[in-house]
Amino acid sequence: MPASKTARQRAREDITAEILAAARARLAEAGPGELSLRAVARDVGMVSSAVYRYYPSRNDLLTALLIAAYDELGEAAEAADDAVDDRDDHLGRWTAVCVATRAWSLTHPYDYALLYGSPVPGYAAPQDTVGPATRVIVRLVTIIVAAHQAGATSPVAPSIAPAGVEDAVADAIEFVRVLGNPEHADLPEITTRTIMAWTTIFGTLSFELFGHLVGSVSDYDAYFAQVISRLAADLGLPA
Amino acid sequence: MPASKTARQRAREDITAEILAAARARLAEAGPGELSLRAVARDVGMVSSAVYRYYPSRNDLLTALLIAAYDELGEAAEAADDAVDDRDDHLGRWTAVCVATRAWSLTHPYDYALLYGSPVPGYAAPQDTVGPATRVIVRLVTIIVAAHQAGATSPVAPSIAPAGVEDAVADAIEFVRVLGNPEHADLPEITTRTIMAWTTIFGTLSFELFGHLVGSVSDYDAYFAQVISRLAADLGLPA
DNA sequence: TGTACATCAGTGAACGCGCGTTCACTGATGTAC
DNA sequence: TGTACATCAGTGAACGCGCGTTCACTGATGTAC
């Protein structure tokens, strides 16, 4: 049981990754529901049955694909936040995460569609995908709550909304509390607004990538900048 | 050339519609990219080649599906607006359209995924789908612009955003002008905000239907009510 | 009203293709003594 | 260091299946005189 890997183990890891990469490339032409194991095998230069040594079925390959894409996006978003030197520049951190999320999405449109487009009929993502899937929103919430705890915010829009915010997003509020931000009077409002903003960001990316803004938006970069700036204002981050 | 239809013509229309309905039902199990003409034919009780008398190819059937679904959603949204007696109750009209849009989406999740989920690889929607696709946003813009022209609004959030709004959504602003609402000082801001709100609504529906709010939102009805109420406030509609 | 012809819906066979998965096999790599 | 055995990656054939589309056909419906 040596600490260094045997040639076999190294080869196995390489080829496992190679198959995954080939499958991701395939998504450009087929969509996850029509992803063909045989086509992937051909691209890798194997016979189709050989793929079963690495992924026990088509669905397991799909799961690996989801996790890889979620992790890559989460990684990009977190790295962008971490690269902001002034940790108290919450607006800068917010903007960095949003911009990085969009940049990854534009360069990986098929991965984006896998993650945020239509679910694959007959496929239910297993529990292992949950962690990777939450990385972006967790980071966004972290930034916004930090800003409010530092007091570096304008008051959020008065709650003219129907009562019952606490109930609507109870799960998320609980989550934020656990995140280690004990008490803040506006926590329900802040949480609701952050989830809304997150939804708007991905709604914007879906609309952009899936073609629904054709005829409305003329400059996508500028439009996205407008959106995240308004969202930041709605969240109480001062300009 | 009689004004009344022949039996053949009537039968043709019925069966064309029946095939379309069967295809929509199929979407529950397969997704548009894997939609099978043969399966549709079986459901209708025909031999697969007979479908070609009605739709010249699989892609034409897809197009018909898109148009039918967009029109049904547009119809539902417009009917909800039209049913509001007090035409000056802009908040009521806004809410009615949003609620109707969500109601249709929840009862037609597979049609929703067809319209707002991942595009079908290799399929480009033809021009005929554009009109039906814009019915909801056109109605939303109409309501918001009417509210601002009637002066029944709070001022919209001050434009703390980066300059250049006009350029980002130039196409939409032009469209609103053509809609017959000549001048309003805040037109660029109002237009941007309305497109953002539209994006948020469909982003919310996509997240709800595609499972991204599991673990965050505990009461979807209540959450949606919160969302559209905040959006209305952001758009200057008074409560 | 009746007949002759034209139109068209639906049939069934066929074309050429791709799919996921199983299985017995071979040959190379790794392990224990 | 050398040998015997175990592990495992990759092969190739096969199973049973479904797909979109074409084509010559039949029989019913519609039209013109």
Side-chain angles (χ1 to χ4, degrees), chain A:
Chain A
M1 214 65 58
S4 71
K5 295 165 185 166
T6 67
R8 222 182 226 169
Q9 283 172 314
R10 231 187 323 256
R12 168 162 265 276
E13 282 168 21
D14 286 358
I15 296 179
T16 306
E18 204 183 331
I19 292 173
L20 198 69
R24 284 180 80 175
R26 272 269 128 219
L27 288 181
E29 269 137 43
E34 309 133 90
L35 179 67
S36 156
L37 261 191
R38 293 183 101 114
V40 170
R42 276 193 300 273
D43 291 351
V44 178
M46 291 173 137
V47 108
S48 67
S49 52
V51 174
Y52 286 81
R53 298 271 171 220
Y54 299 91
Y55 296 95
S57 79
R58 199 178 149 279
N59 273 359
D60 292 275
L61 180 55
L62 264 183
T63 299
L65 233 31
L66 274 171
I67 292 174
Y70 270 130
D71 267 328
E72 212 180 273
L73 169 59
E75 184 74 26
E78 290 168 9
D81 179 23
D82 293 342
V84 176
D85 283 336
D86 179 1
R87 303 310 287 161
D88 291 329
D89 175 13
H90 300 102
L91 178 62
R93 294 173 60 190
W94 163 264
T95 305
V97 170
C98 291
V99 167
T101 297
R102 176 163 178 265
W104 184 88
S105 303
L106 293 186
T107 50
H108 300 80
Y110 303 107
D111 292 316
Y112 180 90
L114 172 69
L115 301 182
Y116 293 101
S118 319
V120 179
Y123 170 82
Q127 204 58 23
D128 336 16
T129 61
V130 172
T134 54
R135 291 174 68 170
V136 174
I137 177 61
V138 165
R139 189 54 72 108
L140 290 178
V141 168
T142 303
I143 294 171
I144 299 304
V145 171
H148 282 272
Q149 287 208 302
T153 49
S154 328
V156 290
S159 191
I160 44 82
V165 215
E166 297 81 2
D167 297 338
V169 295
D171 295 350
I173 293 173
E174 183 53 31
F175 178 82
V176 172
R177 288 223 170 83
V178 169
L179 213 63
N181 300 285
E183 284 314 323
H184 190 290
D186 279 342
L187 202 55
E189 182 64 26
I190 295 168
T191 305
T192 302
R193 278 284 182 183
T194 307
I195 293 177
M196 268 184 67
W198 171 52
T199 306
T200 301
I201 290 161
F202 282 93
T204 302
L205 294 177
S206 291
F207 265 23
E208 175 174 357
L209 284 166
F210 299 166
H212 295 283
L213 294 178
V214 174
S216 297
V217 169
S218 35
D219 180 337
Y220 290 93
D221 288 356
Y223 176 67
F224 191 75
Q226 298 280 342
V227 168
I228 60 177
S229 144
R230 277 173 183 70
L231 291 175
D234 296 344
L235 284 162
L237 297 189

Side-chain angles (χ1 to χ4, degrees), chain B residues 8 12 15 38 46-47 49 53-54:
Chain B
R8 223 182 226 170
R12 168 161 265 277
I15 295 178
R38 293 182 103 117
M46 291 172 135
V47 107
S49 53
R53 299 272 170 218
Y54 299 90

